[in-house]
Amino acid sequence: MASEAQLRADIVEVGRRMYARGYTASNDGNISVRLDAGRLIMTPKNVSKGFMEPQMMCITDLDGKKLAGDRDPSSEIQMHLEVYRQRQDVQAVVHAHPPVATAFAVAGIPLDRAILAEVVTTLGSVPIADYATPSTKELPEAVSRYIKAHDGMLLANHGALTVGSDLFSAYFKMETIEHFANISFVARMLGGERLLSRDEVLRLQGLRGKYGIAAPAPICAETSGSSVGQADCQVVFAPASRERLVHAADDEIRLTYGELTALIEDAVKQLK
Ligand SMILES: [Zn+2]
């Protein structure tokens, strides 16, 4: 297990990377790690994640009571505590507002389409936890719905949350979510993603063991449009198809302006 000094230094490093990549502005975001069975190290309130020093961190117990540190712990501490309560395997929690992923969270669009093999293998789906007022107990409740089955999620109209078996693994999942969001956005601008088929998704899931990826829950590949995430599995939208790649828009009906006008005229005539 890493020493306390190493964990404090790692939090400073991850904070710098998040700030440098624009995942947080001003004093946004927070980071925590398990120090031992009963204690956490947590970033303090009102500090930019890009300008932290190791001695600024707070040490708390698993109920959020401060045990050491000159500053108060992050106002989002309850969200972190909820994750540690529900996931004994989680050693670190990272929360940030990466702009493209947060835009998906603002638009209410989950990152749950099977488009990138490595995302399917590592994260599965990235659902959206319901909107909750930051720093209230609503937020841990919203997170609690998905955290058992997901290592990463969007927070509606707020940001993103990732967890891992160590701090860097939690941080890299935040990078993966923002990368995934960027690619999804551009692919949609280019006419829509081609999705991996359901069979391909199940094949990728089978590779998790081979790569030593301890995903928290199995993938349930959905075939019926954008899914609502579930508590016990990762719902990934992947159509049933003999082809390995299927255009996302294939099951949409597309009409030209002329066809649409004719349809409306027809309908109006029948009303007369
Ligand atoms: Zn936040």
Side-chain angles (χ1 to χ4, degrees), residues 76-90:
E76 296 297 9
I77 185 169
Q78 292 302 331
M79 176 170 72
H80 292 244
L81 296 174
E82 180 66 24
V83 174
Y84 292 115
R85 269 195 287 269
Q86 291 212 31
R87 293 278 303 272
Q88 290 306 313
D89 60 313
V90 164

Side-chain angles (χ1 to χ4, degrees), residues 28-30 76 79 95-97 134 139 155 158-160:
D28 298 343
N30 29 74
E76 296 297 9
M79 176 170 72
H95 164 57
H97 306 164
L139 192 54
L155 309 174
H158 181 171

Side-chain angles (χ1 to χ4, degrees), residues 7-198:
L7 292 172
R8 285 172 180 263
D10 288 349
I11 292 175
V12 168
E13 178 63 23
V14 165
R16 280 203 191 115
R17 287 176 192 231
M18 291 206 307
Y19 186 72
R21 294 180 76 101
Y23 293 1
T24 61
S26 180
N27 298 338
D28 298 343
N30 29 74
I31 303 165
S32 67
V33 295
R34 281 191 206 267
L35 176 57
D36 53 37
R39 294 184 301 162
L40 306 174
I41 308 182
M42 160 119 7
T43 50
K45 248 184 204 156
N46 299 330
V47 169
S48 167
K49 302 303 146 322
F51 298 87
M52 295 189 295
E53 303 284 346
Q55 71 277 10
M56 288 179 175
M57 305 306 156
C58 306
I59 296 182
T60 74
D61 67 14
L62 294 177
D63 294 319
K65 190 168 149 255
K66 189 168 86 169
L67 304 173
D70 296 335
R71 296 162 186 262
D72 286 333
S74 160
S75 54
E76 296 297 9
I77 185 169
Q78 292 302 331
M79 176 170 72
H80 292 244
L81 296 174
E82 180 66 24
V83 174
Y84 292 115
R85 269 195 287 269
Q86 291 212 31
R87 293 278 303 272
Q88 290 306 313
D89 60 313
V90 164
Q91 296 297 318
V93 177
V94 171
H95 164 57
H97 306 164
V100 181
T102 302
F104 273 81
V106 166
I109 303 171
L111 290 165
D112 62 355
R113 292 185 177 183
I115 56 168
L116 296 170
E118 70 273 20
V119 175
V120 170
T121 312
T122 55
L123 274 172
S125 68
V126 182
I128 306 182
D130 290 344
Y131 179 74
T133 310
S135 79
T136 65
K137 72 174 174 35
E138 292 171 9
L139 192 54
E141 279 166 15
V143 164
S144 132
R145 177 167 173 208
Y146 294 115
I147 194 60
K148 278 218 166 75
H150 298 85
D151 282 351
M153 70 186 78
L154 303 178
L155 309 174
N157 294 66
H158 181 171
L161 177 78
T162 52
V163 305
S165 55
D166 61 56
L167 177 53
F168 279 93
S169 118
Y171 166 68
F172 287 136
K173 284 171 196 162
M174 187 63 76
E175 282 193 354
T176 299
I177 286 182
E178 181 65 352
H179 198 228
F180 183 19
N182 268 298
I183 291 166
S184 299
F185 175 67
V186 176
R188 288 177 192 204
M189 294 300 103
L190 294 172
E193 308 98 317
R194 287 194 299 159
L195 305 181
L196 304 173
S197 70
R198 190 185 180 113

